Amino acid sequence: MNALLGSKYETSLRILLLLEAAQGETLPEGAITALDYITVYAHDFGLSDVNLHGENKYRFGEYAFRRTTTKNAIKQLVLDGLVDVIASECGFHYKLSSDGYNFVGDFCSEYADAYYETATRIIDRIGTSELVLSG
């Protein structure tokens, strides 16, 4: 089980939930990484009562590692047909495919519900436009 924590697979599941919370909006890789990190550690950003991944002394150093893991997870999600890639003037953006919506619709756990609700609240509160520009 520990091999799944922090893995490309775990990251892929969170990305699918995040893209569902984005409600069809396309996001670049950098915005996905940032929103995922903010969602998991929302309490540290004053956006939730708790951090979904708890309190650990290494959480602030995770972001650099997440960039690589997110890139690899997105690549696999595109290859699996769960995420669509859209080329734009600013680079590549990603959104859930119809298969991705069907797949994520089958998620049923307290963690998935908490992640989705937190991600939705964060996207509603801070938006994605600044993250898209910097992503």
Side-chain angles (χ1 to χ4, degrees), residues 5-92:
L5 298 178
S7 70
K8 179 173 72 171
Y9 178 74
E10 179 199 6
T11 302
S12 296
L13 298 177
R14 287 197 319 270
I15 290 169
L16 292 172
L17 289 166
L18 180 66
L19 290 175
E20 182 183 33
Q23 300 177 359
E25 190 170 346
T26 63
L27 298 171
E29 180 183 308
I32 292 169
T33 303
L35 285 168
D36 177 51
Y37 184 80
I38 294 167
T39 299
V40 167
Y41 294 114
H43 176 70
D44 292 335
F45 293 93
L47 299 167
S48 179
D49 293 336
V50 296
N51 285 330
L52 293 174
H53 287 192
E55 306 292 324
N56 72 72
K57 60 183 176 183
Y58 303 110
R59 66 188 181 271
F60 299 113
E62 285 183 31
Y63 189 76
F65 172 75
R66 282 176 183 258
R67 291 175 58 108
T68 301
T69 307
T70 299
K71 179 181 190 132
N72 292 330
I74 290 171
K75 184 188 306 182
Q76 190 62 53
L77 289 168
V78 169
L79 291 172
D80 291 342
L82 298 174
V83 169
D84 291 329
V85 61
I86 295 93
S88 75
E89 296 173 358
C90 301
F92 295 112

